[in-house]
Amino acid sequence: MLLLAMDTATPAVTVALHDGEAVVASSSQVDARRHGELLLPAVDRVLKEAGLTLDAVTGLVVGVGPGPYTGLRVGLVTAAAFSSALAVPVHGLCTLDGLAYASGIDEPFAVATDARRKEVYWARYDDSRTRVGDAAVDRPADIAERLAGLPVVGAGARLYPDAFPDARDPEHQSAAALARLAAERLAAGGEGFLDPLPMYLRRPDAQVPKNYKVVTPK
């Protein structure tokens, strides 16, 4: 087994290789505006570090979000292209699940990432492997009471300390954690994966304007 994992649903552009036993190479850069520029060089970097070539990959793992429209698509489209070229499967995982798994917390907690517009993407967990319900997007003040007393993992907790006073690491997503989670689920029978489709949770910022003027001839 050689899994190539990637996630661009958050400001972290993160890639890792997992050989079925352990992560053999990883790369993470935090830059909210350069997902498209950074992802493929990161893939090249981890392959070189591991002394492998892309055709050695037997499966892909990709974070499906939730995340902002443009950044999220970079990882998903890249995973789909590699899958088609290599004829290997793509395993989708919720980005928040990767952060939860990396935390190692074994008591109830939450994960919150920056959704912009003064909102967070968030979900609750019973422990680092068990999400409770679906991911959602809300204003921090609107969910502060529901998450009162719980540790909160992720950049969203650090951005809004008044709503989430017990912020925990990790702050940013790691493809290494996503790869470890995927390898664990594959070893257990392959349950718990999502279709590699974007989890947006809300409409994109760019929309066709209403009542625009028609300038072409009728």
Side-chain angles (χ1 to χ4, degrees):
M1 177 190 293
L2 185 67
L3 297 175
L4 174 61
M6 63 188 73
D7 196 321
T8 58
T10 71
V13 179
T14 179
V15 179
L17 283 170
H18 194 291
D19 66 1
E21 298 293 332
V23 173
V24 296
S26 63
S27 171
S28 291
Q29 295 171 271
V30 179
D31 191 325
R33 299 183 180 276
R34 298 176 62 212
H35 295 85
E37 297 175 47
L38 298 176
L39 181 58
L40 289 179
V43 172
D44 288 340
R45 192 159 50 248
V46 298
L47 288 168
K48 183 177 180 180
E49 180 182 337
L52 298 166
T53 56
L54 187 60
D55 59 6
V57 170
T58 61
L60 294 143
V61 181
V62 65
V64 303
Y69 185 76
T70 302
L72 176 55
R73 288 191 305 164
V74 171
L76 286 163
V77 169
T78 301
F82 285 165
S83 173
S84 178
L86 300 171
V88 298
V90 184
H91 308 289
L93 286 172
C94 175
T95 293
L96 303 183
D97 289 357
L99 281 157
Y101 186 79
S103 76
I105 297 174
D106 60 3
E107 61 183 359
F109 70 103
V111 173
T113 61
D114 183 17
R116 304 176 186 173
R117 302 184 192 175
K118 298 182 179 180
E119 295 178 330
V120 293
Y121 297 117
W122 68 281
R124 292 185 61 153
Y125 292 80
D126 279 341
D127 55 53
S128 61
R129 291 175 172 82
T130 311
R131 176 159 39 90
V132 180
D134 295 327
V137 59
D138 287 287
R139 290 184 177 273
D142 294 341
I143 58 174
E145 185 174 344
R146 295 167 63 182
L147 302 184
L150 294 180
V152 182
V153 169
R158 300 182 184 278
L159 281 171
Y160 304 102
D162 290 344
F164 313 122
D166 189 3
R168 301 285 183 92
D169 289 333
E171 180 177 358
H172 296 293
Q173 173 70 310
S174 161
L178 207 67
R180 287 194 295 268
L181 176 58
E184 185 176 290
R185 290 185 177 180
L186 286 169
E191 298 295 325
F193 290 108
L194 303 173
D195 291 334
L197 300 172
M199 186 187 299
Y200 292 131
L201 300 188
R202 67 184 182 200
R203 298 175 67 85
D205 293 333
Q207 298 182 31
V208 177
K210 296 178 180 179
N211 301 320
Y212 63 89
K213 294 181 180 180
V214 177
V215 295
T216 55
K218 294 183 178 179

